[in-house]
């Protein structure tokens, strides 16, 4: 499926961001799966993740799965900055390229809320779920719109980006921007050397130590460690991904914090306690940047949340859809949540 | 203490490396602490680590400590490539700079063996110990010279560099070399942007998630997370460290594997089983690139080894000498080993 040809577009108009900039003519690219019921009571929002596009969420949607389009109306909004929704790469001057403004997680959720309520007239969702930064948006939905969100299933993500996670992302950013071709965002061609360097930095974080020790990358069709680094990782970062867009989303990620939602005095704990949704929170056992203990802390501060760890060696990418067993575990949890 | 003024020099002559190159006029820079006994039976070798210099090992040596210069003769040889021993930065043409050859862990141990036997006439050591790559050299000493090494205490290191560790180092290398100023090693001034990027990549790996969550860097005198990244990490990489030297040692690290010692058919397990030394192996509980399970595996294959985990949140830098409690734990283990 070619990028950009299989989705809908929702106009946000002059969209004022948390940071003060106005994105004129802003829009969300999104795709829906299934049919909205007449009562508009079968919708699930499933946001994208760092650099992900809607089609990269589809592994968790399907006939016979929890997110079954025969039963639910699944809305996948592309994150601002991902290259399909308003982004550095597709915004006309003067807010284009290096001038594309900072986007907060709350900006994303506000845009998605407009989509859900204005385009579809939905007043209450069935659930929100998402991987990684999608999990962060899931938490933000539950905090910003508790009356609309009865269930959440954030997986391999957190309600607030931890200091260590911020540092990991600094490494990715530093590698990308060490390439002089990046030119502070004013490049004409992608700074591919910096993108490849960022990919190699990311590689150590995305999967666990045990994943590499056991050479599990062979299951993904890679013939050697170096082949995995080149074909999977460098290929991933070169696959239609834009440097400024990656930096936009990286900023969004680093600044994710539901505690900064108005009314909570910057307190993560207060914001967690305000979540009304029933939650199943799913860290991956060996996730190196969203370690299970951070989710355990969150769950202790939530009203109705269960911690359910995804076991195994895949680390963060347990939530990426590439390992059938992990997909089964996440799907089963979604089924439990939706049955409740 | 100024670099380069407080140590001795041992000439290696025309030193043939495992990779086939001859380093003509090669030398080891080293420093000793204490007095060699008349019987030459009180020597301990304590190699340096990735980018470390002998004075950065001194925190574990001192009056009243296990490595007490009043009792032992502690030899700290600088690793080849660290800028004090033969390195890209101090070798004359034609093997200078980008042409400096690959150095294996076994080359380091062979050079150190010459120093110990030829300069000091030592036939048997009391022990070998070291942090990180120093632990790798410790293992190599025990495998290459079992008759000389009755005790080892490798801490926060491994006998073979794991695939994940190799990937982590690829990220560091990619960040450093993404800077065009690196110029494939033919720079006239240090590629400081690449060095700073490498430092930021390293930052996420050096300390644990919990270290950052608890802002333990404040104990080191850093006022904020960003201050820690700039002052500690970027400062660390800019502190007299040379890009080509860092790449030399990175190659050494990536290729560390006692199983490649002749006689073991590439088998880590066979090489571990051949170690005669009594060992206390000390991983740090939350070390992200030398995880305790890798050392546990090693210990299961050794004849007389105890696994003793350094508890706490400092991660790899538990072995760096900056945290008094970790230093106490390592020192106590050394005391136990030496009493045996």
């Amino acid at each position: 499926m070619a990028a950009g040809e299989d989705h809908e577009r929702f106009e946000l108009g002059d969209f004022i961001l948390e940071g003060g900039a106005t994105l004129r003519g802003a829009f969300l690219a999104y795709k829906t799966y299934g049919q909205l019921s007449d009562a508009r009571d079968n919708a699930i929002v499933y946001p994208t993740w760092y650099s992900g596009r809607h089609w990269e969420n589809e592994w968790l949607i399907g006939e016979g799965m929890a997110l079954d389009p025969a039963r639910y109306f699944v809305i996948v909004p592309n994150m601002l900055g991902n290259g399909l929704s308003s982004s550095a790469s597709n915004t006309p001057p003067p807010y284009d390229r290096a001038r594309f403004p900072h986007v907060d997680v709350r900006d994303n959720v506000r845009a998605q809320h407009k989509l859900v309520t204005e385009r579809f007239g939905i007043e209450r969702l069935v659930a929100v779920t998402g991987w990684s930064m999608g999990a962060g948006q899931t938490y933000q939905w539950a905090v910003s719109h508790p009356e609309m969100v009865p269930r959440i299933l954030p997986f391999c993500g957190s309600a607030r980006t931890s200091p260590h996670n911020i540092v990991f992302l600094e490494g990715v950013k530093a590698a990308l921007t060490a390439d002089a071709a990046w030119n502070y965002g004013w490049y004409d061609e992608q700074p591919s050397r910096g993108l490849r360097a960022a990919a190699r930095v990311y590689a150590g974080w995305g999967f666990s130590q045990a994943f590499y020790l056991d050479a599990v990358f062979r299951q993904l069709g890679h013939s050697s460690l170096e082949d995995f680094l080149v074909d999977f990782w460098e290929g991933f970062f070169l696959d239609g991904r834009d440097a400024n867009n990656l930096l936009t989303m990286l900023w969004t990620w680093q600044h994710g914090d539901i505690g900064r939602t108005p009314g909570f005095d910057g307190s993560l704990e207060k914001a967690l306690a305000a979540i009304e949704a029933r939650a199943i929170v799913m860290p991956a056992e060996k996730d190196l940047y969203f370690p299970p203990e951070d989710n355990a802390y969150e769950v202790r501060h939530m009203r109705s949340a269960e911690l359910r760890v995804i076991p195994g060696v895949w680390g963060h990418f347990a939530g990426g859809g590439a390992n059938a067993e992990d997909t089964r575990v996440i799907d089963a949890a979604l089924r439990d949540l939706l049955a409740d």
Side-chain angles (χ1 to χ4, degrees), chain A:
Chain A
M1 162 184 345
E5 295 173 2
D6 69 328
H7 59 267
E8 307 294 317
R9 178 178 161 127
F10 176 69
E11 300 297 335
L12 293 166
D14 292 352
F15 192 71
I16 302 175
L17 298 168
E18 294 288 335
T22 299
L23 264 187
R24 292 167 182 83
F27 61 92
L28 280 188
Y30 69 95
K31 186 167 181 180
T32 63
Y33 304 81
Q35 302 296 322
L36 182 60
S37 64
D38 293 342
R40 304 175 192 277
D41 64 355
N42 69 332
I44 293 173
V45 173
Y46 177 21
T48 61
W49 34 274
Y50 185 65
S51 90
R53 285 77 57 112
H54 58 272
W55 65 85
E56 293 167 310
N57 270 11
E58 291 177 353
W59 57 272
L60 195 56
I61 305 169
E63 192 184 331
M65 299 184 77
L67 302 186
D68 191 333
R71 177 162 183 190
Y72 295 110
F73 181 61
V74 181
I75 305 167
V76 178
N78 286 277
M79 196 158 47
L80 292 163
N82 87 332
L84 295 177
S85 291
S86 284
S87 299
S89 63
N90 64 17
T91 293
Y95 271 119
D96 60 318
R97 307 169 75 196
R99 278 287 181 276
F100 192 77
H102 292 321
V103 176
D104 192 276
V105 175
R106 283 179 288 149
D107 293 318
N108 276 291
V109 169
R110 194 154 37 85
Q112 293 167 22
H113 181 263
K114 278 176 74 77
L115 167 69
V116 166
T117 56
E118 295 177 14
R119 168 146 302 180
F120 296 115
I122 295 167
E123 294 183 355
R124 188 172 168 86
L125 297 165
V126 172
V128 182
T129 188
W131 176 45
S132 196
M133 284 184 80
Q137 293 167 76
T138 297
Y139 273 110
Q140 189 63 57
W141 258 103
V143 171
S144 295
H145 305 288
E147 74 292 350
M148 283 186 71
V149 183
R151 294 175 196 83
I152 57 172
L153 195 148
F155 52 104
C156 309
S158 66
R160 177 176 65 186
T161 302
S162 74
H164 175 266
N165 198 326
I166 289 171
V167 172
F168 140 58
L169 293 170
E170 280 298 306
V172 173
K173 184 171 77 177
L176 173 52
T177 60
D179 181 356
W182 168 61
N183 196 28
Y184 302 92
W186 301 112
Y187 49 83
D188 291 316
E189 296 187 5
Q190 293 297 326
S192 64
R193 195 163 158 179
L195 289 168
R196 289 173 187 270
R200 283 188 177 243
V201 173
Y202 219 111
W205 293 109
F207 297 90
S208 77
Q209 298 97 340
F211 175 94
Y212 284 104
L213 190 66
D214 299 343
V216 181
F217 50 80
R218 292 188 187 277
Q219 293 180 22
L220 296 173
H222 299 284
S223 49
S224 66
L225 182 58
E226 180 64 15
D227 183 55
F228 184 57
L229 294 179
V230 174
D231 188 67
F232 181 94
W233 280 108
E234 296 188 5
F236 191 97
F237 272 71
L238 296 174
D239 176 27
R241 287 167 165 96
D242 172 87
N244 284 324
N245 291 351
L246 289 170
L247 293 171
T248 294
M249 291 180 283
L250 193 148
W251 193 97
T252 305
W253 186 350
Q254 287 187 316
H255 292 79
D257 181 358
I258 60 170
R260 294 195 297 141
T261 310
F264 299 109
D265 294 326
S267 166
L268 169 67
E269 294 77 9
K270 284 185 189 173
L272 287 167
I275 293 175
E276 297 180 10
R278 168 153 157 59
I280 299 179
V281 179
M282 301 191 79
E285 180 187 351
K286 289 180 179 291
D287 194 319
L288 289 170
Y289 44 99
F290 291 111
E293 54 263 39
D294 290 1
N295 287 140
Y297 180 83
E298 294 170 350
V299 163
R300 285 199 297 277
H301 289 83
M302 294 165 74
R303 298 184 202 177
S304 176
E306 174 194 344
L307 186 76
R308 203 183 286 192
V309 178
I310 307 168
V313 303
W314 283 64
H316 188 66
F317 271 66
N323 184 34
E325 177 57 19
D326 293 332
T327 298
R328 196 194 61 70
V329 169
I330 297 164
D331 183 60
L334 270 171
R335 194 178 306 269
D336 290 348
L337 184 73
L338 296 174
D340 192 29

